[in-house]
Amino acid sequence: QVQLVESGGGLVQAGESLRLSCAASGSIARLNDMGWYRQAPGKQRELVASISSGGSTNYEKSVKGRFTISRTNANNTVYLQMNALKPEDTAVYYCNAQAADMRGKWNLYWGQGTQVTVSS
């Protein structure tokens, strides 16, 4: 089994920064793409940023230039540095990861979510 544990959410003022972390653990044979999604009240979950095992990144247009996704493969951790936060960034942020367990079975795993609230 694979577990994703998130941390770093909180309440900040507009223009401030937060750094989210998500650590994958368990019976992981290979960890492929990792990413961050967010879901605001009454809205659909949307992709914020993703990063491949080789370091290739992709960003939602609204966060490009403000957010940076990175990963540390040694400890299977993905990060999301969020700068110049805006009230419209308020959402529950979810980590996800494509992982193969030691039996060779691939699955998409999700973290429990961490709340980010940005006040004006």
Side-chain angles (χ1 to χ4, degrees), residues 11-77:
L11 173 63
V12 298
Q13 296 286 331
E16 296 182 345
S17 299
L18 284 173
R19 181 176 173 86
L20 306 183
S21 299
C22 173
S25 62
S27 56
I28 302 172
R30 184 174 179 178
L31 197 59
N32 201 5
D33 291 355
M34 303 184 76
W36 291 93
Y37 285 71
R38 67 185 179 187
Q39 187 167 23
K43 302 293 182 64
Q44 297 184 47
R45 188 173 299 186
E46 65 176 358
L47 175 68
V48 178
S50 64
I51 184 168
S52 72
S53 60
S56 179
T57 59
N58 188 42
Y59 294 93
E60 163 66 30
K61 182 165 58 178
S62 66
V63 308
K64 191 173 184 179
R66 297 188 297 121
F67 291 9
T68 302
I69 188 170
S70 61
R71 64 191 291 168
T72 301
N73 292 328
N75 60 358
N76 295 326
T77 301

Side-chain angles (χ1 to χ4, degrees), residues 54-120:
S56 179
T57 59
N58 188 42
Y59 294 93
E60 163 66 30
K61 182 165 58 178
S62 66
V63 308
K64 191 173 184 179
R66 297 188 297 121
F67 291 9
T68 302
I69 188 170
S70 61
R71 64 191 291 168
T72 301
N73 292 328
N75 60 358
N76 295 326
T77 301
V78 63
Y79 306 91
L80 186 67
Q81 178 67 45
M82 304 184 293
N83 297 326
L85 283 162
K86 304 175 180 179
E88 52 263 43
D89 295 319
T90 296
V92 177
Y93 283 70
Y94 297 90
C95 171
N96 78 337
Q98 297 175 342
D101 62 22
M102 295 181 181
R103 301 178 188 273
K105 182 183 297 183
W106 285 89
N107 287 110
L108 180 64
Y109 296 90
W110 292 89
Q112 78 285 357
T114 184
Q115 177 70 48
V116 172
T117 302
V118 185
S119 62
S120 60

